Amino acid sequence: MGGVPGSLVGDESVAPGRLPVQLRHPPRHCDRTVVQLRGELAADKAACVRRRLVRAFARAPDVMEVDLGKVTCLTPEVRALLLAAAAFARRSGARFVITRASPLSRRVLEELGMQRLLDAPLSPDP
């Protein structure tokens, strides 16, 4: 799979718009899936985040929500996964939203252009 320099996750490269695994687009069978992330999402946590996102997409949700309410740090590897997940959701017809992002996380994601892939504005932490 083609990668982007500096976006290495584990031993797999993450190209923008692609999750580093092959996913099929099953028929929709659940309304909303929420992935709650927490803590410092450093490079060593990227594989775990990737697994959680893949499992969530396997449920074929109409809406994929990623809750960042308890995240203290988003490293480039995890940011790349979120961008890839948002792009995958768009291609598969699911809505993708990020909720409860801290002001710092929100600013970083906005700078990456995440808003263009989301189906709801990046809103402030309640």
Side-chain angles (χ1 to χ4, degrees), residues 89-101:
R90 181 164 291 243
R91 284 192 318 274
S92 67
R95 295 184 66 229
F96 190 85
V97 296
I98 292 179
T99 57
R100 300 186 337 128

Side-chain angles (χ1 to χ4, degrees), residues 97-117:
V97 296
I98 292 179
T99 57
R100 300 186 337 128
S102 71
L104 179 59
S105 293
R106 200 170 55 254
R107 187 173 70 240
V108 167
L109 292 171
E110 286 170 349
E111 288 172 2
L112 289 172
M114 177 65 90
Q115 189 59 52
R116 290 177 287 141
L117 296 171

